[in-house]
Amino acid sequence: MQHDVRRMLLVAVCIYTAAFLVTILLHEGAHALAALAVGSHPMLYNTHVENPPVAPGQQVLISLAGPVFSLVQGLSCLWLMSRGRGTGVGALFGLFLGVFGVINFLGYLMTGPLVAYGDVGQAEHLLGMPLGVAIVLAVAGGVGAHLGIQRTAPLFMRFVPAAPVGAT
Protein backbone atom coordinates (compact mmCIF):
# COMPACT_ATOMS: atom_id res chain seq x y z
CA MET A 1 0.00 0.00 0.00
CA GLN A 2 2.74 2.46 0.96
CA HIS A 3 4.58 1.75 -2.32
CA ASP A 4 1.41 2.63 -4.28
CA VAL A 5 1.03 5.93 -2.40
CA ARG A 6 4.65 6.87 -3.10
CA ARG A 7 4.26 6.01 -6.78
CA MET A 8 1.04 8.05 -7.02
CA LEU A 9 2.76 10.99 -5.32
CA LEU A 10 5.72 10.82 -7.71
CA VAL A 11 3.40 10.68 -10.73
CA ALA A 12 1.36 13.63 -9.40
CA VAL A 13 4.52 15.70 -8.87
CA CYS A 14 5.70 14.92 -12.42
CA ILE A 15 2.30 15.84 -13.88
CA TYR A 16 2.22 19.05 -11.81
CA THR A 17 5.68 20.02 -13.04
CA ALA A 18 4.90 19.23 -16.68
CA ALA A 19 1.64 21.21 -16.58
CA PHE A 20 3.43 24.15 -14.97
CA LEU A 21 6.11 24.16 -17.68
CA VAL A 22 3.55 23.83 -20.49
CA THR A 23 1.58 26.76 -19.04
CA ILE A 24 4.72 28.93 -19.00
CA LEU A 25 5.62 28.00 -22.57
CA LEU A 26 2.09 28.69 -23.85
CA HIS A 27 1.96 32.01 -21.97
CA GLU A 28 5.29 33.17 -23.38
CA GLY A 29 4.38 31.83 -26.81
CA ALA A 30 1.26 34.02 -26.77
CA HIS A 31 3.44 37.09 -26.09
CA ALA A 32 5.71 36.11 -28.99
CA LEU A 33 2.80 35.52 -31.38
CA ALA A 34 1.27 38.88 -30.47
CA ALA A 35 4.62 40.56 -31.10
CA LEU A 36 4.88 38.88 -34.49
CA ALA A 37 1.30 39.95 -35.28
CA VAL A 38 2.21 43.62 -34.77
CA GLY A 39 5.33 43.29 -36.94
CA SER A 40 7.93 42.99 -34.21
CA HIS A 41 10.76 40.45 -34.11
CA PRO A 42 10.59 38.87 -30.65
CA MET A 43 13.19 36.61 -29.07
CA LEU A 44 11.38 33.85 -27.16
CA TYR A 45 13.04 32.45 -24.05
CA ASN A 46 11.65 29.85 -21.68
CA THR A 47 10.47 32.41 -19.11
CA HIS A 48 10.17 35.67 -21.03
CA VAL A 49 10.11 37.31 -24.44
CA GLU A 50 12.50 40.08 -25.43
CA ASN A 51 11.04 42.54 -27.86
CA PRO A 52 12.46 45.51 -29.72
CA PRO A 53 10.68 48.76 -28.80
CA VAL A 54 7.20 49.08 -30.29
CA ALA A 55 4.43 51.67 -30.04
CA PRO A 56 2.66 51.82 -26.65
CA GLY A 57 -0.59 50.40 -28.04
CA GLN A 58 1.28 47.47 -29.55
CA GLN A 59 3.12 46.93 -26.27
CA VAL A 60 -0.21 46.77 -24.40
CA LEU A 61 -1.39 44.08 -26.81
CA ILE A 62 1.83 42.11 -26.41
CA SER A 63 1.79 42.47 -22.62
CA LEU A 64 -1.79 41.28 -22.25
CA ALA A 65 -1.51 38.40 -24.75
CA GLY A 66 0.15 36.07 -22.23
CA PRO A 67 -2.27 36.52 -19.34
CA VAL A 68 -5.33 36.50 -21.61
CA PHE A 69 -4.16 33.30 -23.30
CA SER A 70 -3.51 31.79 -19.87
CA LEU A 71 -7.09 32.62 -18.87
CA VAL A 72 -8.47 31.02 -22.03
CA GLN A 73 -6.27 27.96 -21.47
CA GLY A 74 -7.37 27.72 -17.86
CA LEU A 75 -11.08 28.15 -18.41
CA SER A 76 -11.07 25.75 -21.38
CA CYS A 77 -9.24 23.02 -19.48
CA LEU A 78 -11.35 23.48 -16.34
CA TRP A 79 -14.53 23.31 -18.41
CA LEU A 80 -13.37 20.08 -20.03
CA MET A 81 -12.27 18.58 -16.71
CA SER A 82 -15.54 19.50 -14.99
CA ARG A 83 -17.49 17.66 -17.69
CA GLY A 84 -15.45 14.47 -17.40
CA ARG A 85 -15.09 11.97 -14.60
CA GLY A 86 -11.61 10.73 -15.44
CA THR A 87 -9.06 10.06 -12.72
CA GLY A 88 -6.08 9.13 -14.86
CA VAL A 89 -2.87 10.92 -15.70
CA GLY A 90 -4.42 12.88 -18.59
CA ALA A 91 -7.29 14.12 -16.46
CA LEU A 92 -4.94 15.30 -13.71
CA PHE A 93 -2.71 17.00 -16.29
CA GLY A 94 -5.74 18.79 -17.75
CA LEU A 95 -6.88 19.87 -14.30
CA PHE A 96 -3.45 21.27 -13.47
CA LEU A 97 -3.34 23.08 -16.84
CA GLY A 98 -6.70 24.61 -16.03
CA VAL A 99 -5.76 25.74 -12.56
CA PHE A 100 -2.36 27.10 -13.62
CA GLY A 101 -3.88 29.07 -16.49
CA VAL A 102 -6.48 30.75 -14.29
CA ILE A 103 -4.00 31.36 -11.46
CA ASN A 104 -1.56 32.89 -13.92
CA PHE A 105 -4.17 35.39 -15.11
CA LEU A 106 -5.51 36.21 -11.64
CA GLY A 107 -2.00 36.53 -10.23
CA TYR A 108 -1.12 39.15 -12.81
CA LEU A 109 -4.30 41.04 -11.97
CA MET A 110 -3.46 40.96 -8.26
CA THR A 111 0.12 42.17 -8.75
CA GLY A 112 -0.69 44.81 -11.41
CA PRO A 113 -0.64 47.82 -9.06
CA LEU A 114 2.55 46.60 -7.35
CA VAL A 115 4.70 45.28 -10.20
CA ALA A 116 4.92 47.81 -13.01
CA TYR A 117 7.12 45.56 -15.15
CA GLY A 118 4.69 42.59 -14.96
CA ASP A 119 2.35 41.90 -17.84
CA VAL A 120 -0.77 43.54 -16.41
CA GLY A 121 1.17 46.20 -14.49
CA GLN A 122 2.91 47.25 -17.68
CA ALA A 123 -0.39 47.45 -19.58
CA GLU A 124 -2.00 49.44 -16.75
CA HIS A 125 0.93 51.87 -16.80
CA LEU A 126 0.92 52.27 -20.59
CA LEU A 127 -2.84 52.83 -20.59
CA GLY A 128 -2.52 55.46 -17.85
CA MET A 129 -4.93 53.52 -15.66
CA PRO A 130 -5.72 55.26 -12.36
CA LEU A 131 -4.34 53.49 -9.30
CA GLY A 132 -7.86 53.06 -7.89
CA VAL A 133 -8.96 51.09 -10.96
CA ALA A 134 -5.82 48.95 -10.78
CA ILE A 135 -6.55 48.22 -7.12
CA VAL A 136 -10.15 47.25 -7.94
CA LEU A 137 -8.81 44.85 -10.58
CA ALA A 138 -6.34 43.44 -8.05
CA VAL A 139 -9.10 42.85 -5.50
CA ALA A 140 -11.24 41.25 -8.20
CA GLY A 141 -8.30 38.95 -8.96
CA GLY A 142 -8.12 37.98 -5.30
CA VAL A 143 -11.84 37.29 -5.12
CA GLY A 144 -11.58 35.28 -8.34
CA ALA A 145 -8.72 33.23 -6.87
CA HIS A 146 -10.77 32.50 -3.75
CA LEU A 147 -13.79 31.42 -5.79
CA GLY A 148 -11.58 29.39 -8.10
CA ILE A 149 -10.13 27.46 -5.18
CA GLN A 150 -13.62 26.70 -3.90
CA ARG A 151 -14.77 25.47 -7.29
CA THR A 152 -11.73 23.40 -8.23
CA ALA A 153 -11.19 21.66 -4.88
CA PRO A 154 -13.94 19.11 -5.58
CA LEU A 155 -12.35 18.35 -8.96
CA PHE A 156 -9.08 17.49 -7.23
CA MET A 157 -10.82 15.32 -4.65
CA ARG A 158 -11.63 12.66 -7.26
CA PHE A 159 -7.89 11.97 -7.48
CA VAL A 160 -7.54 11.22 -3.77
CA PRO A 161 -7.59 7.46 -3.27
CA ALA A 162 -10.22 6.08 -0.97
CA ALA A 163 -9.00 4.63 2.32
CA PRO A 164 -9.01 0.83 2.38
CA VAL A 165 -11.91 -0.80 4.18
CA GLY A 166 -11.11 -1.18 7.86
CA ALA A 167 -8.37 1.48 7.83
CA THR A 168 -8.41 4.10 10.57
Side-chain angles (χ1 to χ4, degrees):
M1 172 69 179
Q2 191 172 11
H3 177 70
D4 290 342
V5 171
R6 286 184 181 160
R7 182 179 177 280
M8 287 179 1
L9 180 61
L10 178 62
V11 168
V13 167
C14 290
I15 294 169
Y16 175 97
T17 303
F20 183 77
L21 293 173
V22 167
T23 298
I24 291 171
L25 291 174
L26 291 173
H27 175 98
E28 298 306 332
H31 286 302
L33 288 174
L36 287 170
V38 299
S40 184
H41 296 34
M43 178 64 71
L44 177 61
Y45 294 97
N46 60 337
T47 59
H48 70 284
V49 176
E50 284 185 10
N51 221 23
V54 294
Q58 293 173 326
Q59 187 58 48
V60 168
L61 177 72
I62 294 167
S63 295
L64 293 179
V68 169
F69 184 85
S70 292
L71 179 63
V72 170
Q73 166 201 318
L75 293 177
S76 299
C77 289
L78 287 175
W79 180 76
L80 287 171
M81 294 304 103
S82 69
R83 296 180 56 78
R85 299 279 179 236
T87 58
V89 171
L92 186 57
F93 182 74
L95 186 54
F96 279 134
L97 278 177
V99 169
F100 289 149
V102 171
I103 285 174
N104 190 310
F105 175 78
L106 295 174
Y108 275 110
L109 275 185
M110 289 187 287
T111 61
L114 305 171
V115 185
Y117 56 85
D119 293 343
V120 170
Q122 186 176 34
E124 290 172 349
H125 173 73
L126 289 168
L127 291 170
M129 186 174 290
L131 180 59
V133 174
I135 290 172
V136 168
L137 288 174
V139 170
V143 170
H146 176 75
L147 294 173
I149 291 167
Q150 284 182 326
R151 295 214 173 175
T152 57
L155 297 175
F156 279 104
M157 292 307 293
R158 68 182 183 208
F159 295 95
V160 177
V165 176
T168 56

